[in-house]
Amino acid sequence: MSATETVTVRPARRVGRPLVFFSVLVVVLGLLFGVPWWTLLHSAAHWPALVGAAGSVLFGAALLSFPALMFYGHGRRVDWAARIADTMLGVVWVLFVWSVFGNVLRLGLTAAGVADPVRSRLVAAFTLLVSAVLIAWGYVEAMRVPRVRRVEVVLPRLGRELDGLKVALLTDTHYGPIDRERWSKGVTEVVNSLDADIVCHTGDIADGSVDQRRAQAAPLGDIRARDARVYVTGNHEYMGDAQNWLDHMTELGWESLHNRHVLVRRGGDTLVVAGVDDRTAKSSGRPGHQADLAAALAGTDGDLPVLLLAHQPQQIGAAVAAGVDLQISGHTHGGQIWPFHYLVRVDQPAVQGLTRHSAQTQLYTSRGTGFWGPPLRVFAPSEITLLTLRAA
């Protein structure tokens, strides 16, 4: 080879990634479906053969159909498939969790001298009964109009004339495969009853396009606020068409804070209300979309207090660096179905409630107004938040 010759080197294909993903998927699905199957049907309970066979067929059919239903439901936006897959996911998660607890109970029964098949049948009965109660209760919790959660937040830099400013927070409405237009109207009625100065929506407005979810989102146009109605995108907007949702919220009369701010004034005091895109915006590849706090605060007086809308609590690092007074977020759903919040906490600095992240910066994380996927909320109730801002 001469010194002037060049060799084109093609990047090696990462053939291992699909294999790793597939392997993890198989293990996870195997555990989710397999642990309840074994606990309920095949752990020395000695059920009649017909019961064992029918139960095994049911679990097997669910396991085999679940990936396809998820793909068509959320990949192809086929609503009936999404409804089935999401419900299946919620049910099997609850069964899995309480099967694990059931097998802890098994150890206690063993220590107490209870033998099979009575022991395994007691474990199966415990698992099935608790799961059934939680699934029914969780469905009611998910589908009801959220209760109002009232929180006072002291902001030392807030001017006296802004003391008592009321901020209503909606987030993670997730209008989706289950038609919740009536629910959306109920949410609007509750928000309007709060007589808020500012109403915020911090993203994940819907799963699907504007055309698909237009009717469910329509009641947002009837929400009233004395000073401003403001909205920022969440990560789910970037799974669809974020710009169309920004434009549609503008059409409904909201201020879409696409890396920008508005000012709220009372007498001689001013509050900066800023918003940034979700942290996934840049990786989505959509031109002009990325979380840009510097752009959102451009032209503001650095001595003014700042209320920041950012979908994910994880965006608090930039808020601290910029000296933001209060960031309000959603995204976590409070875990939605216990004990999933432990996994959420691995990824996010907060799961719900008011937390402090520097001498100046606080974060309020809502448990969410709606739900994603499974129509269940277990030990993680939804909320419409009313934040009352107080001067020091």
Side-chain angles (χ1 to χ4, degrees):
M1 181 186 299
S2 69
T4 57
E5 288 182 296
T6 60
V7 177
T8 301
V9 179
R10 295 181 179 178
R13 293 183 179 178
R14 297 178 178 176
V15 293
R17 280 192 174 183
L19 182 60
V20 170
F21 174 79
F22 180 76
S23 300
V24 170
L25 181 63
V26 168
V27 171
V28 169
L29 291 180
L31 289 171
L32 279 177
F33 286 87
V35 172
W37 169 79
W38 184 85
T39 303
L40 296 175
L41 297 169
H42 289 277
S43 56
H46 300 306
W47 300 115
L50 183 60
V51 172
S56 295
V57 168
L58 179 62
F59 270 98
L63 173 60
L64 293 175
S65 63
F66 178 73
L69 288 167
M70 285 297 286
F71 172 75
Y72 281 102
H74 292 285
R76 299 290 180 86
R77 299 292 183 192
V78 179
D79 280 354
W80 67 263
R83 286 193 293 270
I84 296 172
D86 291 343
T87 302
M88 195 183 298
L89 177 60
V91 169
V92 78
W93 172 256
V94 174
L95 283 171
F96 169 78
V97 168
W98 290 96
S99 292
V100 172
F101 283 109
N103 284 294
V104 173
L105 173 63
R106 182 190 305 280
L107 297 176
L109 292 172
T110 301
V114 180
D116 281 325
V118 173
R119 177 175 58 206
S120 290
R121 290 186 178 187
L122 285 173
V123 169
F126 164 83
T127 300
L128 199 56
L129 179 61
V130 174
S131 296
V133 169
L134 290 179
I135 288 167
W137 176 60
Y139 178 78
V140 172
E141 281 288 296
M143 299 303 290
R144 69 168 172 78
V145 173
R147 302 178 186 91
V148 177
R149 188 178 188 184
R150 300 171 187 270
V151 181
E152 288 201 351
V153 186
V154 177
L155 302 182
R157 297 202 301 167
L158 191 71
R160 286 290 179 183
E161 295 192 61
L162 288 167
D163 182 74
L165 193 80
K166 293 191 291 185
V167 179
L169 170 59
L170 303 175
T171 187
D172 300 276
T173 44
H174 284 286
Y175 302 124
I178 298 175
D179 187 355
R180 288 181 290 143
E181 183 179 353
R182 186 175 175 182
W183 175 89
S184 185
K185 290 177 181 177
V187 169
T188 293
E189 290 173 2
V190 171
V191 172
N192 286 342
S193 73
L194 299 176
D195 193 29
D197 300 293
I198 304 169
V199 179
C200 306
H201 194 306
T202 54
D204 279 9
I205 191 168
D207 295 302
S209 67
V210 171
D211 288 340
Q212 284 179 301
R213 313 304 179 207
R214 187 182 300 274
Q216 294 183 59
L220 292 175
D222 298 325
I223 284 179
R224 298 189 298 271
R226 187 172 288 105
D227 293 293
R229 295 178 297 170
V230 289
Y231 160 72
V232 294
T233 53
N235 58 303
H236 279 249
E237 279 87 334
Y238 290 100
M239 298 176 188
D241 193 345
Q243 189 59 54
N244 277 348
W245 277 111
L246 286 164
D247 295 341
H248 186 61
M249 288 296 278
T250 301
E251 291 171 8
L252 291 176
W254 289 62
E255 291 272 0
S256 292
L257 299 184
H258 177 36
N259 297 320
R260 50 184 291 267
H261 69 269
V262 296
L263 301 177
V264 172
R265 293 185 173 91
R266 288 282 189 279
D269 292 325
T270 302
L271 174 68
V272 178
V273 182
V276 292
D277 296 343
D278 182 67
R279 60 186 290 266
T280 62
K282 186 174 183 179
S283 61
S284 73
R286 287 166 175 79
H289 286 261
Q290 63 176 333
D292 190 343
L293 184 52
L297 296 177
T300 61
D301 183 340
D303 292 330
L304 294 177
V306 178
L307 172 66
L308 174 67
L309 281 66
H311 178 65
Q312 298 196 39
Q314 202 176 81
Q315 294 175 268
I316 191 65
V320 169
V324 165
D325 297 82
L326 175 63
Q327 174 178 312
I328 54 176
S329 301
H331 185 67
T332 68
H333 298 205
Q336 187 165 319
I337 306 177
W338 187 90
F340 197 77
H341 68 285
Y342 289 115
L343 295 177
V344 175
R345 190 63 182 83
V346 172
D347 182 56
Q348 299 290 335
V351 175
Q352 61 90 26
L354 185 66
T355 52
R356 179 169 292 280
H357 296 265
S358 75
Q360 181 164 304
T361 305
Q362 298 178 76
L363 165 68
Y364 184 82
T365 306
S366 168
R367 292 185 300 245
T369 312
F371 60 86
W372 175 85
L376 302 176
R377 274 188 171 270
V378 178
F379 305 136
S382 56
E383 66 179 79
I384 294 168
T385 320
L386 184 64
L387 301 169
T388 302
L389 306 186
R390 294 295 183 188

